[in-house]
Amino acid sequence: MTIDERIEAAEALFREGYNCAQCVVAVFADHYGISRETALRMSAGFGAGIGRMRLTCGTACGMFMLAGLEHGATEGCDQKAKAHTYKVVQQLAARFENECGSLVCAELLGLRGGRHTDTQPAQRTPEYYAGRPCLRMIATSVRIFAEYLDSLEKEKREKP
């Protein structure tokens, strides 16, 4: 899939009612050989700033989950793998924050206050979509992660 195709697929998922984290993770399920259902389930709790608490943007959380699939340590004592994963996550986070202005869902949405506690998802209406920057965040996260994967592929090809 091209980057543009992944972005279009992620945006379509959002319009179908999936949360922002699900949209990012699900469009890379094929790359990791996992089912769409597994991708949707594992990312379900990260939407709307993690469980609708409006904390870290769900699309960024989606990228971080994907970074774990790409590099995550599978041995508890593997400090080198942990450090590498954390480095990649911090690089992805910095790029997202630089492009979007914040990693915080509430700030991106222009909401006040700290942690939110309302668990009821908003109704997906034309007004909802018109007033949300979420599609832009989804596209940004998908593009950033796809470009990251492309850079890994480029590195592999350039190594002797």
Side-chain angles (χ1 to χ4, degrees):
M1 238 188 217
T2 68
I3 293 173
D4 287 341
E5 289 170 334
R6 288 192 193 279
I7 290 170
E8 287 175 23
E11 289 173 342
L13 287 171
F14 191 71
R15 288 186 186 99
E16 288 176 33
Y18 293 99
N19 75 41
C20 49
Q22 289 176 306
C23 297
V24 173
V25 175
V27 298
F28 289 96
D30 64 315
H31 182 78
Y32 293 103
I34 61 174
S35 71
R36 178 179 166 178
E37 181 179 356
T38 297
L40 292 169
R41 284 181 183 272
M42 70 184 242
S43 55
F46 291 86
I50 308 172
R52 203 169 190 273
M53 291 185 287
R54 306 302 187 198
L55 301 172
T56 304
C57 173
T59 73
C61 290
M63 284 195 301
F64 307 155
M65 282 185 267
L66 294 169
L69 287 172
E70 188 68 31
H71 301 289
T74 58
E75 302 283 332
C77 62
D78 191 346
Q79 299 297 320
K80 185 176 177 181
K82 285 180 187 180
H84 181 70
T85 302
Y86 297 159
K87 179 181 176 182
V88 169
V89 166
Q90 288 183 20
Q91 289 170 341
L92 294 169
R95 190 159 168 209
F96 180 90
E97 190 169 23
N98 183 57
E99 291 188 30
C100 298
S102 180
L103 274 170
V104 179
C105 175
E107 292 174 8
L108 294 167
L109 294 176
L111 301 175
R112 297 183 146 238
R115 183 181 195 169
H116 293 247
T117 58
D118 180 10
T119 60
Q120 188 60 42
Q123 290 295 316
R124 299 289 179 94
T125 64
E127 295 77 28
Y128 171 89
Y129 290 110
R132 297 266 184 202
C134 303
L135 284 170
R136 184 171 69 88
M137 302 306 135
I138 289 166
T140 299
S141 290
V142 169
R143 180 182 43 75
I144 288 170
F145 197 76
E147 290 173 356
Y148 173 72
L149 289 178
D150 286 350
S151 74
L152 292 179
E153 287 300 316
K154 184 179 178 186
E155 284 177 26
K156 286 179 190 175
R157 288 190 307 269
E158 291 175 354
K159 284 189 178 179

